[in-house]
Amino acid sequence: MNLVLNDGSPDLSENQKLVMDLLERKSGPLSAYMILDELRDSGFRAPLQVYRALEKLISIGKVHRVESLSAFIACSHMSCEKLGVTAFVICDKCENVQEVSDESISLFVTDLAIKTKMKAAKSNIELHGLCDGCQNI
Amino acid sequence: MNLVLNDGSPDLSENQKLVMDLLERKSGPLSAYMILDELRDSGFRAPLQVYRALEKLISIGKVHRVESLSAFIACSHMSCEKLGVTAFVICDKCENVQEVSDESISLFVTDLAIKTKMKAAKSNIELHGLCDGCQNI
DNA sequence: ACAAAATAGTTATAGTATAACATAACATAC
DNA sequence: GTATGTTATGTTATACTATAACTATTTTGT
């Protein structure tokens, strides 16, 4: 049993912590196999160790999967559990990824769900293009 | 040289036509390998034949890739070349996919691009959940 | 301590996509 | 019309992404 006072976030297993720390250090998106390679020295041997850790981290909102990159990125919002819907804005040149999460995003998703009579479970919103910096080169 | 009068859509190669017809017949999303299997009798032997046809069809807006399904679907709008941005609404139960393309979608994408100072090239908007029918079962 | 349940490790394999090279089809110049 | 360059297509091999099935370990409740 866990008697330690904490901030409300669930305890993470060793593997989950390793993956989380790595994603936070790198800050950009990493593929599952990049994560595996980076964590070999920490004892990772197989993809499933990565995927299982990611599954947990995604379920608690600390990591997101960027579908169009088949990659994973640490949540930039102190965890999205509360905030709900986010969008990713991806520069195809410098590969920088911004995570955007504001009222307009969740409003849009809510409206879309109503309009299509859907009970929404999950959304992926990803915008590719050139970031401010890369447009002017 | 092509001197035939047509509706403005570019000529498609035999393989491209086969893939396009299949996607239109099925109307739902198909993975590249499902397409390959369906077209073996028509002479398809290798994944690349499918991917190359898809690349072309996607570039002219007649087919979309649904990122979160790793699958491909015929455009339901007579081709999206003009219409621009679309969103996909996916029922996780019956696997039906609706393509939505209206002002509110493109407005949202435009706003997001401005807000993030991006020159947008491509967007993926995908909403997963339960459709109207599947909610009441 | 023991049984049941949850967690983690391992091996093998399925599913998705592209690189690299070979061949064929087609256009244009000569 | 044949040589030549260009584009489209075919083929083989391989890389990348993800999960199934099984085993071992750890944790938890009694």
Side-chain angles (χ1 to χ4, degrees):
Chain A
M1 168 130 67
N2 169 26
L3 291 172
V4 179
L5 294 174
N6 62 29
D7 61 4
S9 60
D11 290 332
L12 297 180
S13 74
E14 198 54 32
N15 285 355
Q16 290 156 12
K17 269 185 248 170
L18 286 165
V19 171
M20 191 69 234
D21 288 352
L22 177 65
L23 285 172
E24 278 172 342
R25 275 206 313 283
K26 299 282 178 178
S27 81
L30 293 178
S31 77
Y33 283 74
M34 287 181 207
I35 294 170
L36 177 57
D37 283 343
E38 294 273 354
L39 294 180
R40 278 193 202 282
D41 294 343
S42 310
F44 275 55
R45 310 293 309 279
L48 251 181
Q49 293 173 290
V50 177
Y51 282 106
R52 288 210 270 236
L54 287 171
E55 183 180 32
K56 173 71 173 189
L57 295 169
I58 290 168
S59 77
I60 62 176
K62 287 181 156 318
V63 168
H64 299 290
R65 185 175 196 279
V66 185
E67 298 289 341
S68 57
L69 300 177
S70 295
F72 304 88
I73 191 167
C75 178
S76 56
H77 298 119
M78 203 93 295
S79 169
C80 279
E81 302 151 83
K82 306 287 159 47
L83 289 166
V85 183
T86 67
F88 293 97
V89 178
I90 301 148
C91 178
D92 293 325
K93 184 124 183 268
C94 70
E95 299 186 312
N96 183 61
V97 178
Q98 289 179 67
E99 183 181 345
V100 182
S101 181
D102 63 23
E103 268 300 299
S104 75
I105 313 275
S106 34
L107 200 61
F108 170 76
V109 170
T110 308
D111 283 353
L112 181 59
I114 292 170
K115 188 158 54 190
T116 56
K117 298 198 163 79
M118 290 281 290
K119 183 164 155 54
K122 184 168 164 289
S123 62
N124 306 115
I125 301 176
E126 297 167 15
L127 181 64
H128 284 259
L130 289 179
C131 71
D132 196 27
C134 290
Q135 284 167 54
N136 310 314
I137 292 176
Chain B
M1 171 132 61
N2 169 26
L3 292 174
V4 179
L5 294 175
N6 61 29
D7 60 4
S9 60
D11 290 334
L12 297 180
S13 74
E14 198 53 31
N15 285 355
Q16 289 156 12
K17 270 186 246 169
L18 286 165
V19 171
M20 190 69 234
D21 288 353
L22 177 66
L23 285 171
E24 277 171 345
R25 275 206 312 284
K26 299 282 178 180
S27 82
L30 293 178
S31 76
Y33 282 76
M34 287 182 208
I35 294 171
L36 177 58
D37 283 343
E38 295 273 353
L39 294 181
R40 278 193 203 282
D41 294 344
S42 310
F44 275 54
R45 312 292 309 278
L48 215 55
Q49 294 174 288
V50 177
Y51 283 106
R52 290 209 270 234
L54 287 171
E55 185 182 30
K56 172 71 173 189
L57 295 169
I58 289 168
S59 76
I60 62 176
K62 286 181 157 317
V63 168
H64 299 290
R65 183 174 196 278
V66 185
E67 297 290 342
S68 57
L69 300 176
S70 295
F72 304 88
I73 191 167
C75 178
S76 55
H77 299 119
M78 205 94 292
S79 169
C80 279
E81 304 151 81
K82 305 287 160 47
L83 289 165
V85 183
T86 68
F88 293 97
V89 177
I90 300 147
C91 177
D92 294 324
K93 186 124 181 269
C94 70
E95 300 185 313
N96 183 63
V97 177
Q98 288 179 69
E99 183 181 344
V100 182
S101 181
D102 63 22
E103 268 300 299
S104 75
I105 313 275
S106 35
L107 199 61
F108 170 75
V109 170
T110 308
D111 284 354
L112 182 58
I114 292 170
K115 188 157 55 188
T116 56
K117 298 198 163 78
M118 291 279 291
K119 182 161 157 52
K122 182 167 167 288
S123 63
N124 306 114
I125 301 177
E126 298 169 14
L127 181 64
H128 283 259
L130 289 178
C131 71
D132 195 28
C134 290
Q135 285 167 53
N136 310 312
I137 293 177

